[in-house]
Amino acid sequence: MKILVAVKRTIDYNVKARPKVDGSGVDLANVKMSMNPFDEIAVEEAIRIQQAGRAEEIVAVSIGPKQCQETLRTAMAMGADRGILVQTEDEAQPLAVAKLLKALVDNEQPGLVILGKQAIDDDSNQTGQMLAALLGWGQGTFACDVDFEGDSIKVNREIDGGTQVVSLKLPAVVTADLRLNEPRYVKLPNIMKAKKKPLDTIAPADLGVDVAPRLKLIKVEEPPVRDGGTKVADVDELVDKLRNEAKVIS
């Protein structure tokens, strides 16, 4: 079986994002970029499946500018066998990404597609679901555990208030949640080996997909500063403030 893993280049999770002065977007100048953390978990899960003898090849895919090659090299240093970059300078919105991945799935014919449940830059949480719909495949979103049962996989997925177990016939789409695994530390020898692994670059037009944005960004701004808390002398004063100032009780 072949596994296709989608990875995205985002602002590093340790960096505090700042909006541009004119509010037209997020300031990316001189900002550290890295692999989306949820996608890193997806890569780790694909590697563990391969090491368990259930997959023969892992193909990492990224969509974006030339700098995404660094993200793909990181995935290959972790253990992916090869990479594919769909290079575009246009903003890749969820539907366009799903269509591009669908075209790549048609070409590569993987038995399993694993993605992060969402990206930490736009928090869309849409691509995996859209891809499954376009392919007509079963989907196991927000996965915290994945287990194989013959030609099916059992996905333990996180939901409000607990977990839910779903059984999916392969091929299928799985999106990784935070508790699925802990990604491995990439060692220097593996980083050097990753430089020699194959990485193909193609354009969206080669896949017959129009990536023109369908959503318009109106404005990006920081959230309002929260007011500081106040101390009250006793319960009566607290109840008075909740009733007359906050108006949360009657």
Side-chain angles (χ1 to χ4, degrees):
M1 181 179 70
K2 182 189 298 184
I3 301 177
L4 190 145
V5 185
V7 297
K8 185 177 183 181
R9 180 175 181 264
T10 63
I11 295 178
D12 189 88
Y13 69 93
N14 287 311
V15 176
K16 180 175 175 59
R18 301 283 186 183
K20 294 180 180 178
V21 177
D22 60 1
S24 61
V26 177
D27 188 359
L28 301 180
N30 301 315
V31 173
K32 181 183 178 183
M33 307 291 283
S34 62
M35 187 189 301
N36 177 50
F38 291 103
D39 295 342
E40 196 173 5
I41 294 170
V43 175
E44 174 66 27
E45 190 64 23
I47 296 168
R48 295 187 184 191
I49 293 172
Q50 185 184 48
Q51 291 177 338
R54 296 188 175 275
E56 297 176 352
E57 185 182 28
I58 300 171
V59 182
V61 177
S62 190
I63 300 166
K66 184 178 180 180
Q67 292 87 337
C68 290
Q69 290 184 6
E70 301 171 9
T71 308
L72 288 170
R73 291 295 179 193
T74 300
M76 288 187 281
M78 291 178 66
D81 298 295
R82 59 187 174 93
I84 300 174
L85 171 61
V86 182
Q87 187 170 329
T88 175
E89 297 299 326
D90 294 328
E91 177 192 3
Q93 295 180 348
L95 181 58
V97 172
K99 289 181 177 180
L100 289 169
L101 291 177
K102 196 265 184 186
L104 288 171
V105 168
D106 291 340
N107 293 340
E108 296 288 335
Q109 294 295 306
L112 180 64
V113 179
I114 309 179
L115 312 85
K117 72 167 185 177
Q118 65 193 77
I120 61 172
D121 51 4
D122 57 20
D123 263 356
S124 288
N125 179 26
Q126 298 172 349
T127 303
Q129 293 89 328
M130 288 179 171
L131 175 61
L134 291 172
L135 290 169
W137 291 4
Q139 57 179 300
T141 55
F142 316 128
C144 59
D145 185 63
V146 175
D147 192 21
F148 282 78
E149 295 180 338
D151 61 349
S152 302
I153 57 172
K154 184 171 67 175
V155 178
N156 194 1
R157 55 187 305 268
E158 299 201 13
I159 60 174
D160 291 341
T163 59
Q164 177 189 49
V165 178
V166 294
S167 181
L168 310 172
K169 285 189 175 293
L170 295 174
V173 176
V174 172
T175 68
D177 210 331
L178 189 64
R179 280 158 287 277
L180 181 58
N181 60 57
E182 184 175 344
R184 66 194 62 200
Y185 177 77
V186 180
K187 298 179 180 178
L188 181 58
N190 292 334
I191 295 175
M192 302 306 293
K193 291 178 183 177
K195 294 181 180 181
K196 297 181 180 180
K197 291 184 178 181
L199 196 163
D200 298 325
T201 300
I202 59 177
D206 298 332
L207 299 173
V209 177
D210 179 12
V211 296
R214 293 170 176 261
L215 306 175
K216 181 179 179 181
L217 179 63
I218 305 298
K219 188 177 182 181
V220 175
E221 59 185 4
E222 292 196 44
V225 178
R226 296 178 64 178
D227 295 332
T230 59
K231 291 184 178 180
V232 295
D234 51 38
V235 174
D236 291 338
E237 185 180 354
L238 173 61
V239 172
D240 179 68
K241 287 183 176 294
L242 292 175
R243 177 179 291 119
N244 301 314
E245 293 184 19
K247 299 186 183 301
V248 294
I249 61 174
S250 56

